[in-house]
Amino acid sequence: MTSGLRFLIAAKRCEITELQQLAHTSALVNAVGRLVHGLQRERGLTNLHLASQNAQWEAALGQQILDSETLQAQVASCFEGMNVATARPSQGARLFSRIAYALQGMAALPALRRRLRAEAWPAERATAAYVRLISSLLAVVFEAADTAADPGISRSLVALFNFMQGKELTGQERATGSALFAAGQANAVAQQRLLHLIESQERCLQVFEEFASPPQWQAWQLAQHAKQLATLERMRRVLCTASNGAPLDRQLSQVWFDANTAVIDAMKAIEDRLALDLLELCETRLAAATAELATFEALNSQGNTSRFDPADDLSFFDQASPDLSTPASALSPTAPGFGLQLDRSILELVQDQARRLQSMAQELDTVRASLSERKLIERAKGLLMAHRRLSEEDAHKNMRQMAMNQNRRLIDVAEALLSMAEVLPEPQR
Amino acid sequence: MTSGLRFLIAAKRCEITELQQLAHTSALVNAVGRLVHGLQRERGLTNLHLASQNAQWEAALGQQILDSETLQAQVASCFEGMNVATARPSQGARLFSRIAYALQGMAALPALRRRLRAEAWPAERATAAYVRLISSLLAVVFEAADTAADPGISRSLVALFNFMQGKELTGQERATGSALFAAGQANAVAQQRLLHLIESQERCLQVFEEFASPPQWQAWQLAQHAKQLATLERMRRVLCTASNGAPLDRQLSQVWFDANTAVIDAMKAIEDRLALDLLELCETRLAAATAELATFEALNSQGNTSRFDPADDLSFFDQASPDLSTPASALSPTAPGFGLQLDRSILELVQDQARRLQSMAQELDTVRASLSERKLIERAKGLLMAHRRLSEEDAHKNMRQMAMNQNRRLIDVAEALLSMAEVLPEPQR
């Protein structure tokens, strides 16, 4: 009677399939990161070009579009190469739905470029279009982080997603500032937006710090050069402190673009490292799970009835052995089940496995809590935007103000807002 | 360029696979429920037999064991019939691990029965052994509820799990009371345990009320007969109010057993109904998803480039169309995408699908919150049990007392306890 062992093996095979899919998703995230980087440059150059009509920007933009097209083809081929038939059903549905949305955006990109070449749109609208496309790509990464079942990998994906999101906000800052400089005039709305973007970047990097490994965090510290940071902060001050309508020196466009680009490029290098670490982690996990599976299968082929016949063994009912039916039992942790001994009973193997999966599930809850917080805050923000017709920045400012006034955390304010949603009137359309 | 549509179809296929597996899991839950019911009877009869050595109980027990064996064979064949190769990887691992543990217990059951026939164990220990086995089976149902990705089905499974758990606590009450009556003497520890079991039943039924559909709740109300309830409450009073060591009328064994059995049998009828409703729900969902898939595939085979060529269509970037990259966008709900029109654009279909999945994910968060609360409370209870060497009842009483003293919810006390866990000393062994 080796039914228990059979399901132990099935459980391990499930873990391995999941890890293989995570490895593929990680490669996909890497390709998405490269495309996002290209689109961020394209957005910055588009803004400069739209605002200044300078031939220098036009040439750079043309080159960047060619690069973006190559990167887009790589992401598309990565998507197409996904084995949609064997994907995890439920999470698969959400991930695929995100991919379908991103693909719609990618398909519409040539039309967007043609429209922008014809200069039918103002710079703000161009920025917004690129923001939406990039955001649809980052949503794929968010979904991957939210659905990964291995807590270590989920942790890495959360760090990576927040870093990518932070980089995108830096990119938006670059685009917004570029448009301001190129227009040659300060603008209170754009300045407010800049401040919001700077603050949001910092929040993303805080989450990154929380979830990155110490070497990753250290690498990011080392990648930031004091001199570049000082230039960036000086330019930020010039931009944000000018009174509404005051002239801005168009000549500073290039300095602004370069200062932001230096930060973004440094971030790209770190992002590449994070993506590599993630792939390595997937492979380590995969190797460990494969070794365990081999041990289980060896046990299975031996029949393993030599030492323990469950029909004579009452240890399942032994009060001293942990009851694995309740989540509480995961409180007696043991070392993870690597290097299993062939002479252990199946019950012990089952107990180890159950304990390991339970403590993984607990750790996963902790990691996902940060994503849930993000979701709740975004949802509450969306509620305020819909009901009070506020911009995203204003909704965020509003919530932050409530939190300060009530001496509560932002997440508590978000929860309170959402719980009031049912009694609020229908949003104005 | 129908890549978006291709992933929309892949997402729908994932949903369908998930629903098929949920239908199979529901059938499994049904078989588990029947076996649990048999084991509950076997436990009650074992207690009566161990305590009284009455030939009448012996015959009934022998018959019940035969019944249990048939039910066990059905569950085992249900387990064996699971297509472990195509199961959902990550949740699969947890579900399979629970099944492996339950199978170990089922395999050890003949040895347990032999030991009990030889009367080597006291009734309390026999009860504890059956409790552990049943708990390992109910853990399979809990895991199924925790991993279902469809919020409606998850809600049904939560209602069903809590009802089954409530019924099991009633069964434990029957066994504990049977042992008391058969021993012919009141016992303060067992009385305390009875009170704990009664209170825990009520909590389970509260969660059931919260998650059951109104007709299900009404059916449960109708299934409880006032006269039977009155008998049960009278017997509870007799048992719980006798002073420690006072004689109990052995003749009341049968009345006690019958009063509890009437409740348990009524619960079994409701449980069967819940299981049927669950299967029906799976089938309804499956039919709807299959119809949607057919529509998507019809669109795909038409090429669907007639009305909208994404390369000319800028609606993805239209500020009026919702941005589906952030969770906030799910705030503008639309009717679910049944009865799709063939002339809608792929972007609209993608938007509908994304919105639906997002609002499903939000609903799922709400449903799972109740399971998380249970996990946190169980974990905190386990912590107290390990650190202060308390029984489960005492740990629970302790936490309830803290909650009352501090005017907080039980779940808040559990969270506070768990957050202190890191600074607590190692548990005594």
Side-chain angles (χ1 to χ4, degrees):
Chain A
M1 183 108 177
T2 54
S3 290
L5 188 55
R6 180 170 160 259
F7 275 90
L8 205 59
I9 289 173
K12 193 52 74 183
R13 287 220 182 98
C14 282
E15 267 189 85
I16 289 175
T17 310
E18 158 84 11
L19 287 168
Q20 285 165 340
Q21 286 173 356
L22 277 175
H24 188 94
T25 306
S26 301
L28 173 73
V29 162
N30 199 355
V32 165
R34 273 179 273 126
L35 173 58
V36 164
H37 190 65
L39 292 173
Q40 284 165 342
R41 280 188 65 85
E42 187 178 323
R43 176 178 56 194
L45 291 165
T46 298
N47 272 312
L48 289 169
H49 176 247
L50 282 175
S52 71
Q53 303 303 324
N54 183 321
Q56 169 206 354
W57 299 126
E58 176 146 22
L61 177 58
Q63 181 54 49
Q64 183 55 48
I65 288 177
L66 291 178
D67 287 355
S68 299
E69 279 168 351
T70 310
L71 295 166
Q72 178 175 347
Q74 286 167 1
V75 168
S77 105
C78 226
F79 282 160
E80 299 293 330
M82 286 183 88
N83 192 344
V84 294
T86 67
R88 299 161 288 161
S90 62
Q91 293 97 330
R94 272 155 65 194
L95 187 63
F96 290 167
S97 165
R98 296 287 194 188
I99 290 176
Y101 185 60
L103 281 169
Q104 289 300 117
M106 281 159 66
L109 187 53
L112 175 69
R113 289 189 184 123
R114 278 197 299 279
R115 190 67 64 97
L116 292 171
R117 288 250 151 186
E119 287 141 48
W121 284 8
E124 290 73 28
R125 197 168 166 203
T127 301
Y130 276 102
V131 165
R132 178 171 285 208
L133 177 58
I134 290 170
S135 151
S136 76
L137 287 162
L138 289 177
V140 174
V141 181
F142 181 86
E143 207 60 58
D146 201 26
T147 53
D150 180 287
I153 294 174
S154 180
R155 174 173 283 272
S156 283
L157 277 165
V158 170
L160 178 54
F161 169 74
N162 277 281
F163 198 81
M164 288 172 90
Q165 178 76 15
K167 174 165 167 284
E168 161 59 4
L169 293 166
T170 311
Q172 289 182 29
E173 184 192 345
R174 177 172 66 183
T176 309
S178 293
L180 270 176
F181 273 123
Q185 200 176 33
N187 167 331
V189 173
Q191 287 171 322
Q192 196 57 46
R193 178 152 179 76
L194 270 182
L195 289 173
H196 173 66
L197 289 169
I198 293 169
E199 194 202 339
S200 304
Q201 282 167 52
E202 282 162 3
R203 269 190 299 137
C204 283
L205 290 171
Q206 276 163 15
V207 180
F208 167 68
E209 181 176 5
E210 190 182 337
F211 286 94
S213 69
Q216 289 173 340
W217 175 246
Q218 208 181 358
W220 166 232
Q221 294 305 305
L222 287 173
Q224 294 168 288
H225 296 295
K227 204 171 146 194
Q228 283 170 358
L229 284 181
T231 308
L232 179 62
E233 288 297 348
R234 185 165 53 81
M235 299 303 294
R236 281 173 168 176
R237 176 174 51 74
V238 169
L239 270 178
C240 296
T241 57
S243 5
N244 193 18
L248 288 171
D249 183 357
R250 282 202 176 85
Q251 301 299 317
L252 288 178
S253 284
Q254 183 76 54
V255 184
W256 168 257
F257 191 82
D258 292 346
N260 270 287
T261 302
V263 173
I264 293 175
D265 287 347
M267 290 184 97
K268 184 74 193 82
I270 298 297
E271 186 187 301
D272 287 343
R273 187 213 154 120
L274 297 177
L276 265 184
D277 286 356
L278 177 62
L279 274 175
E280 254 182 50
L281 182 62
C282 290
E283 275 159 28
T284 311
R285 288 276 203 280
L286 205 47
T290 309
E292 280 185 284
L293 178 63
T295 314
F296 291 171
E297 280 175 341
L299 269 175
N300 198 30
S301 64
Q302 287 180 3
N304 189 257
T305 46
S306 47
R307 283 194 55 214
F308 295 93
D309 181 357
D312 284 325
D313 180 13
L314 284 172
S315 51
F316 179 90
F317 301 107
D318 186 354
Q319 290 299 304
S321 91
D323 177 6
L324 293 172
S325 310
T326 70
S329 58
L331 273 170
S332 352
T334 55
F338 305 144
L340 294 166
Q341 304 297 311
L342 281 178
D343 61 354
R344 294 170 66 202
S345 76
I346 308 228
L347 180 62
E348 285 173 300
L349 295 183
V350 169
Q351 286 170 340
D352 274 1
Q353 168 83 349
R355 223 179 267 126
R356 202 173 60 78
L357 287 173
Q358 282 181 5
S359 82
M360 272 173 66
Q362 286 175 28
E363 202 188 327
L364 203 56
D365 283 351
T366 317
V367 178
R368 288 202 184 145
S370 83
L371 296 173
S372 305
E373 287 203 359
R374 190 183 123 86
K375 285 188 225 166
L376 284 179
I377 291 172
E378 289 294 322
R379 243 188 273 162
K381 210 192 285 173
L383 191 76
L384 280 185
M385 289 162 69
H387 279 273
R388 304 209 192 141
R389 296 187 147 273
L390 295 178
S391 70
E392 199 200 330
E393 290 99 277
D394 287 342
H396 188 79
K397 219 163 55 181
N398 236 297
M399 284 170 58
R400 214 180 33 204
Q401 195 60 49
M402 279 189 256
M404 276 168 55
N405 292 351
Q406 304 170 23
N407 196 20
R408 291 160 83 189
R409 291 178 308 160
L410 198 58
I411 174 75
D412 296 329
V413 169
E415 279 179 347
L417 275 171
L418 289 170
S419 68
M420 287 191 323
E422 283 167 30
V423 296
L424 287 173
E426 276 296 294
Q428 303 150 13
R429 300 268 175 189
Chain B
M1 183 108 177
T2 53
S3 291
L5 188 56
R6 180 170 159 257
F7 276 89
L8 204 61
I9 289 173
K12 194 53 74 185
R13 287 219 181 97
C14 282
E15 267 189 85
I16 290 175
T17 310
E18 159 84 12
L19 287 168
Q20 284 165 338
Q21 287 173 355
L22 277 175
H24 188 94
T25 306
S26 301
L28 173 72
V29 163
N30 200 355
V32 165
R34 273 179 274 126
L35 173 58
V36 163
H37 190 65
L39 292 173
Q40 283 165 344
R41 279 187 66 86
E42 188 178 324
R43 175 178 55 195
L45 290 166
T46 298
N47 273 310
L48 289 170
H49 175 247
L50 282 175
S52 70
Q53 301 306 322
N54 185 321
Q56 169 205 355
W57 299 127
E58 176 147 21
L61 177 58
Q63 182 55 50
Q64 183 55 49
I65 288 177
L66 291 178
D67 287 355
S68 297
E69 279 168 351
T70 310
L71 296 166
Q72 178 175 346
Q74 287 167 1
V75 168
S77 106
C78 226
F79 283 160
E80 300 293 330
M82 285 184 89
N83 192 343
V84 294
T86 66
R88 298 160 289 160
S90 61
Q91 293 99 329
R94 272 155 65 195
L95 187 63
F96 289 166
S97 165
R98 297 285 193 189
I99 291 176
Y101 185 60
L103 280 169
Q104 290 300 119
M106 281 159 65
L109 188 53
L112 176 70
R113 290 190 184 122
R114 278 198 299 277
R115 189 70 62 96
L116 292 171
R117 289 248 153 186
E119 289 141 46
W121 284 8
E124 290 74 27
R125 197 167 166 204
T127 301
Y130 277 101
V131 165
R132 178 170 286 206
L133 177 58
I134 290 170
S135 151
S136 76
L137 287 163
L138 289 177
V140 173
V141 181
F142 181 85
E143 206 60 58
D146 201 27
T147 53
D150 181 287
I153 294 174
S154 180
R155 174 172 283 273
S156 283
L157 276 164
V158 169
L160 179 54
F161 168 76
N162 277 281
F163 198 80
M164 288 172 90
Q165 179 76 15
K167 173 164 166 286
E168 161 59 5
L169 293 167
T170 311
Q172 290 181 28
E173 184 193 346
R174 177 173 65 184
T176 309
S178 294
L180 270 174
F181 273 122
Q185 197 176 36
N187 166 332
V189 173
Q191 287 171 321
Q192 195 57 46
R193 176 150 182 77
L194 270 182
L195 289 173
H196 172 67
L197 289 169
I198 293 169
E199 194 202 338
S200 304
Q201 282 168 52
E202 282 163 2
R203 269 189 299 137
C204 282
L205 290 171
Q206 275 164 14
V207 179
F208 168 68
E209 181 176 6
E210 189 182 337
F211 286 95
S213 69
Q216 289 174 339
W217 175 247
Q218 207 181 359
W220 166 232
Q221 295 305 306
L222 289 173
Q224 295 166 286
H225 296 296
K227 203 172 150 195
Q228 283 170 356
L229 284 180
T231 309
L232 178 63
E233 288 296 349
R234 184 166 53 80
M235 299 302 293
R236 281 173 168 175
R237 177 173 52 74
V238 169
L239 270 179
C240 296
T241 57
S243 5
N244 194 18
L248 289 171
D249 183 358
R250 280 203 177 84
Q251 301 299 317
L252 289 177
S253 283
Q254 184 76 54
V255 184
W256 168 257
F257 191 82
D258 291 345
N260 270 285
T261 303
V263 173
I264 293 176
D265 287 347
M267 289 185 98
K268 184 72 193 87
I270 298 297
E271 187 188 300
D272 287 343
R273 188 213 154 118
L274 297 177
L276 265 184
D277 286 356
L278 177 61
L279 274 175
E280 254 183 51
L281 182 61
C282 289
E283 275 160 27
T284 312
R285 289 277 204 279
L286 205 47
T290 309
E292 280 184 284
L293 179 64
T295 314
F296 291 171
E297 279 174 340
L299 269 175
N300 197 31
S301 64
Q302 287 180 3
N304 189 257
T305 46
S306 47
R307 282 194 56 212
F308 295 92
D309 182 356
D312 284 325
D313 180 12
L314 284 173
S315 52
F316 179 89
F317 301 107
D318 187 354
Q319 291 298 305
S321 92
D323 177 5
L324 293 173
S325 310
T326 70
S329 58
L331 273 168
S332 349
T334 56
F338 305 144
L340 294 165
Q341 303 298 311
L342 281 178
D343 60 354
R344 292 171 67 203
S345 76
I346 309 235
L347 180 62
E348 284 173 301
L349 295 183
V350 170
Q351 285 169 340
D352 274 1
Q353 168 83 348
R355 223 180 267 127
R356 204 173 60 80
L357 287 173
Q358 282 182 4
S359 82
M360 272 173 68
Q362 286 174 28
E363 202 187 327
L364 203 56
D365 284 350
T366 317
V367 178
R368 289 202 182 144
S370 83
L371 297 173
S372 304
E373 286 202 1
R374 190 185 123 86
K375 285 188 224 166
L376 284 179
I377 291 171
E378 289 294 323
R379 242 187 273 162
K381 211 192 286 173
L383 191 75
L384 280 185
M385 289 161 69
H387 280 273
R388 305 208 190 143
R389 295 187 146 276
L390 295 177
S391 70
E392 200 199 329
E393 292 99 275
D394 287 342
H396 188 79
K397 218 164 57 181
N398 234 297
M399 283 170 58
R400 213 180 34 203
Q401 195 59 51
M402 280 189 257
M404 276 168 55
N405 293 349
Q406 303 169 23
N407 195 20
R408 292 159 83 188
R409 292 177 308 158
L410 198 58
I411 174 75
D412 296 328
V413 168
E415 278 180 347
L417 275 172
L418 289 171
S419 68
M420 287 193 322
E422 284 167 30
V423 296
L424 287 173
E426 277 296 294
Q428 302 150 17
R429 298 268 175 191

